[in-house]
Amino acid sequence: MATSSPCVVIGDHEKGYDLDLFCIPKHYVDDLEKVYIPHGLIMDRTERLARDIMKSMGEHHIVALCVLKGGYKFFADLLDYIKALNRNSDKSIPMTVDFIRLKSYCNDESTGEIKVIGGDDLSTLTGKNVLIVEDIIDTGKTMKTLLSLLKQYNPKMVKVVSLLVKRTPRSVGYRPDFVGFEVPDKFVVGYALDYNEYFRDLNHICVISETGKQKYKA
């Protein structure tokens, strides 16, 4: 198992912030319990992750592999910060991008069965240094399966950055190389994390309410 970078740990008893302290789309107000991680904090943490990735992988051309759909917002913001570092420091990383789409959730449960339902030919990753960009690691089964799949194509190096890692008894023990936040075992949405495709248009990371789960249940 790779040694992971330090992360912001959100405790089990963290209550979050009242919704009326932030700008929340009106169509979601009754579907959320609390704001858990405000957008500004996400951005600051992402900027630091970009610096850590540059320090760790700065000698190599990187293929940044975005795990769609949930990872697209984190992916875009992370790459913006890496590009800023490339422009403003002596060390820079040549970077290309690729995309893969996976499916492992039904409602609020991770099935652990990975379905590759989009993305380009993974054989293009052979011999490359790959940075997988993910939104959340839940049980870890999906990422372990993806890493096993990628290994068949013989990349030179693979590192994983995830915005969130969930603290759950269902975890298989996998931990990414770079982590933004470690969060309790709650179902969170927003900042492109979804519940059956809803809430991707929410800037903050929030805890979904039982009302929201019932309203948007598949």
Side-chain angles (χ1 to χ4, degrees):
M1 187 185 303
T3 302
S4 61
S5 65
C7 68
V8 177
V9 178
I10 297 178
D12 290 338
H13 302 293
E14 174 60 49
K15 294 180 179 179
Y17 305 92
D18 290 341
L19 299 179
D20 58 9
L21 297 175
F22 298 88
C23 294
I24 304 293
K26 289 184 178 180
H27 55 275
Y28 287 145
V29 168
D30 295 331
D31 307 323
L32 304 168
E33 288 184 1
K34 295 281 187 178
V35 172
Y36 217 49
I37 308 176
H39 183 255
L41 184 56
I42 297 169
M43 297 301 287
D44 279 4
R45 181 69 188 126
T46 301
E47 183 177 16
R48 179 53 194 256
L49 286 172
R51 190 196 305 179
D52 292 344
I53 290 166
M54 285 280 284
K55 185 175 181 181
S56 176
M57 303 181 72
E59 304 299 327
H60 311 279
H61 169 212
I62 296 174
V63 177
L65 182 62
C66 176
V67 180
L68 297 170
K69 296 179 182 176
Y72 80 85
K73 189 77 175 86
F74 177 49
F75 181 80
D77 288 336
L78 180 69
L79 261 61
D80 280 345
Y81 282 123
I82 289 176
K83 287 187 290 185
L85 289 169
N86 276 342
R87 292 193 303 268
N88 298 303
S89 64
D90 294 332
K91 179 188 285 189
S92 64
I93 304 175
M95 180 173 288
T96 54
V97 301
D98 206 344
F99 301 88
I100 187 169
R101 187 175 174 194
L102 312 173
K103 183 73 172 177
S104 67
Y105 272 88
C106 180
N107 293 326
D108 59 346
E109 292 294 325
S110 177
T111 64
E113 296 180 6
I114 183 173
K115 296 180 181 179
V116 179
I117 55 176
D120 295 333
D121 183 1
L122 295 179
S123 65
T124 59
L125 302 179
T126 300
K128 303 290 180 60
N129 300 297
V130 181
L131 175 69
I132 300 174
V133 183
E134 176 67 289
D135 56 350
I136 186 168
I137 302 293
D138 192 329
T139 65
K141 291 178 183 177
T142 300
M143 185 54 66
K144 287 191 75 172
T145 305
L146 175 59
L147 289 170
S148 296
L149 179 64
L150 291 183
K151 191 175 181 180
Q152 300 173 23
Y153 297 94
N154 299 311
K156 183 178 179 181
M157 173 201 302
V158 179
K159 288 186 179 290
V160 179
V161 55
S162 182
L163 177 63
L164 305 178
V165 168
K166 189 176 289 188
R167 215 165 36 248
T168 171
R170 301 183 305 279
S171 172
V172 297
Y174 171 75
R175 192 151 180 108
D177 303 281
F178 308 99
V179 180
F181 302 87
E182 180 182 297
V183 297
D185 192 11
K186 298 181 180 181
F187 198 85
V188 291
V189 295
Y191 192 67
L193 284 83
D194 76 301
Y195 179 77
N196 294 329
E197 299 303 326
Y198 292 93
F199 301 101
R200 295 195 194 276
D201 53 340
L202 181 65
N203 276 343
H204 313 290
I205 293 177
C206 301
V207 178
I208 189 173
S209 67
E210 288 303 319
T211 301
K213 287 183 182 181
Q214 290 303 314
K215 183 187 294 187
Y216 301 111
K217 190 174 182 178

